[in-house]
Amino acid sequence: MKRLKVQGLFVIILLLWSACSEKKTDGHKKPIASATGEQPIALVIHGGAGTIRRENMSPEREKAYREKLSEALNAGYAELESGKPALQAVMTAIKVMEDSPLFNAGKGAVFTHDGKNEMDAAIMDGKTRNAGAVAGITTVKNPITAAYEVMVSSPHVFMVGKGAEQFAAEQHLDIVDPEYFRDERRYKQLMRIIDAEKTQLDHSSLREMELEDPYFNDRKYGTVGAVAVDEDGNVAAATSTGGMTNKRYGRVGDVPVIGAGTYADNATCAVSATGHGEFFIRNVVAHEIASIMRYTGKTISDAADEVVMKQLVEMEGSGGVIAVDKNGNIAMPFNSAGMYRGYIKEKGKPHTFIYDDENEGL
Ligand code: ASP
C-alpha cells in the first residue's frame, strides 16, 4: 500500500514537471536565432569584373568607385536593418549603381554595335523562388524595377523588348528618353572598339590601348549585382547590365537568364554574376553553384570557387560572382584581373574591394 502511494506521488511529480517544461518551450516558439538577433543580415554587391588593374586606375577614379560601392552598400543595408526583406535590399543597392554612370547598368550602360543602350536585368526571391527578368529594354530608368514588376505583377518570369517596355509603363515605372542612358565616354569606347575591329588589332595592340586609356579597360564588363540575407533568413539576388560593348542586334547575356547570371534559393544560396555572359549561360553558373551546395554539401565558397576558378577557367570564360547563404556566409571569387565588389554585415562598415590582392577578411 505504502509502495503504491509513493509510486502515485512520483507519477504526479513527473506530470507536473513535464507540464512546466512544455510551457517553457511554448514561450520560445520563435527560432532562438531570430529571438536573440542571431540571424545574421548581410548584403554583398559587385560592380562588374574585368581587366581592372591598379596601374590603370587613377586615385580619383578609384575613390569614386569605392564611394559609390559604399553608398550602395549603406543604402541596401539600411533596408535590412529596418526589417525589410532581402528583395528590397538588393533592389535598393542596385538602383544606386544603376543611377551612376560609373557602372554598365542604367545610366552609363554600354553601347550596342548600332549605338544603342539595351539593358537586361533580373531579380529572384530565395524564399519562394519567384523571379522576374527583362531583356533588351531601352526606356526604363531603372531596369531592375521592371524585372521586379515582372515578378510581382505578372504571371510571367521573362519579358523582352517593346513588350517589356510597355508592361513597365503600365506599371507606372519611371520611363525616360533613351538618350538619358547615353554616356559620352561609353560612346567613345564603342567607337574605339569598332575602329579596332576594322583595323584588325592584334592582342598586344589592344593591350597598349588599354594602358593608354583606363576607361578602355572595362570596355567589356561592368554589370552590377547584389545578393542579401535578411533577418528572417531569406536570401535574394538581383543583377542589372547594359550587356557587352559592341554587342550585336538582339544579343542577350547571362544576367536575365535565371540560373545563369542570377539565382536565389533559401536552401542553398543567392548568386549574382558578372563576366563574359556567353560562358556564364553555357555553364549555368549561378544554378551550378547552388546545385553543388545542394548535392555535395560543400560550403558556399568551395562551391563558388569550383565553378568560377575551375569550370569557367577551363573554358576561358572570364568573370566572377558574389554569393551569400542564409547563415550570412559570403563568397566573391573572380578569375579576371579585378572585380568591383563589397559587403556589409555591420552598420556603418561597408567593405569595398577592386583588385585581386586585397584582403577581404572573409
Ligand atoms: N555578364 C554581362 C553580359 O554578358 C556583362 C558583364 O557582366 O559586365 O551581358
Side-chain angles (χ1 to χ4, degrees):
M1 188 68 178
K2 202 177 168 194
R3 225 180 122 195
L4 262 181
K5 262 191 192 161
V6 172
Q7 272 182 348
L9 203 68
F10 183 70
V11 170
I12 289 168
I13 290 171
L14 207 77
L15 283 172
L16 276 172
W17 180 78
S18 75
C20 278
S21 51
E22 219 165 78
K23 213 172 163 198
K24 236 191 201 165
T25 330
D26 266 348
H28 283 97
K29 257 190 184 143
K30 254 190 144 188
I32 293 187
S34 52
T36 57
E38 274 173 30
Q39 167 62 52
I41 55 174
L43 171 68
V44 193
I45 60 172
H46 70 72
T51 39
I52 311 158
R53 294 180 211 278
R54 253 199 198 85
E55 63 262 32
N56 298 330
M57 182 80 82
S58 70
E60 299 75 46
R61 201 158 171 79
E62 177 173 331
K63 188 164 168 269
Y65 272 107
R66 290 197 194 267
E67 278 174 6
K68 202 40 93 173
L69 289 171
S70 296
E71 186 187 328
L73 285 168
N74 282 327
Y77 195 77
E79 305 276 22
L80 292 176
E81 262 203 321
S82 64
K84 300 263 175 58
L87 264 184
Q88 186 61 46
V90 293
M91 271 235 290
T92 298
I94 293 269
K95 273 159 96 177
V96 170
M97 294 186 281
E98 281 182 342
D99 290 342
S100 162
L102 288 175
F103 305 98
N104 168 20
K107 177 133 192 88
V110 297
F111 282 86
T112 66
H113 183 72
D114 302 325
K116 293 185 191 148
N117 307 107
E118 291 179 359
M119 288 152 285
D120 309 333
I123 189 162
M124 186 158 181
D125 177 2
K127 181 181 174 193
T128 57
R129 277 186 286 158
N130 200 358
V134 289
I137 59 172
T138 58
T139 58
V140 184
K141 181 168 178 262
N142 291 105
I144 199 64
T145 58
Y148 180 78
E149 287 302 327
V150 171
M151 177 173 78
V152 298
S153 308
S154 90
H156 308 304
V157 167
F158 201 171
M159 291 189 188
V160 304
K162 293 277 165 255
E165 286 171 358
Q166 186 183 330
F167 171 74
E170 283 166 12
Q171 301 309 310
H172 309 292
L173 295 181
D174 253 353
I175 303 299
V176 291
D177 189 285
E179 276 294 300
Y180 162 81
F181 298 104
R182 187 185 174 93
D183 178 86
E184 282 317 310
R185 298 215 290 170
R186 292 279 189 219
Y187 193 69
K188 247 179 77 189
Q189 225 171 29
L190 172 71
M191 290 301 120
R192 295 195 71 181
I193 288 174
I194 289 179
D195 274 356
E197 269 185 355
K198 274 191 204 133
T199 49
Q200 304 244 309
L201 280 180
D202 60 24
H203 252 72
S204 55
S205 329
L206 211 61
R207 177 87 187 105
E208 257 164 46
M209 270 168 83
E210 282 184 0
L211 289 172
E212 266 169 36
D213 175 5
Y215 202 69
F216 194 75
N217 277 316
D218 55 354
R219 68 193 188 280
K220 278 188 186 159
Y221 314 132
T223 290
V224 304
V227 295
V229 55
D230 62 29
E231 66 174 22
D232 293 321
N234 294 318
V235 299
T239 320
S240 179
T241 188
M244 290 175 80
T245 306
N246 200 29
K247 66 184 180 184
R248 297 306 201 268
Y249 30 69
R251 184 265 185 187
V252 174
D254 59 315
V255 166
V257 178
I258 297 300
T262 309
Y263 190 72
D265 182 357
N266 277 1
T268 50
C269 60
V271 181
S272 168
T274 173
H276 195 151
E278 280 69 11
F279 292 91
F280 283 66
I281 295 175
R282 289 162 57 201
N283 277 292
V284 205
V285 163
H287 188 264
E288 177 79 349
I289 293 170
S291 293
I292 291 174
M293 288 178 75
R294 182 190 294 268
Y295 297 116
T296 71
K298 281 194 177 170
T299 63
I300 194 164
S301 94
D302 285 350
D305 277 356
E306 169 86 30
V307 178
V308 175
M309 311 309 276
K310 285 195 197 145
Q311 295 185 17
L312 281 171
V313 168
E314 271 164 27
M315 268 185 156
E316 296 187 19
S318 85
V321 304
I322 50 168
V324 72
D325 69 14
K326 63 189 286 183
N327 299 316
N329 297 307
I330 290 170
M332 309 190 287
F334 55 96
N335 60 37
S336 45
M339 180 167 87
Y340 299 107
R341 62 203 187 278
Y343 67 86
I344 182 165
K345 285 174 140 184
E346 221 180 293
K347 190 184 173 155
K349 286 235 176 89
H351 303 273
T352 64
F353 313 92
I354 299 176
Y355 314 108
D356 64 351
D357 57 1
E358 290 177 87
N359 181 2
E360 293 164 346
L362 291 175

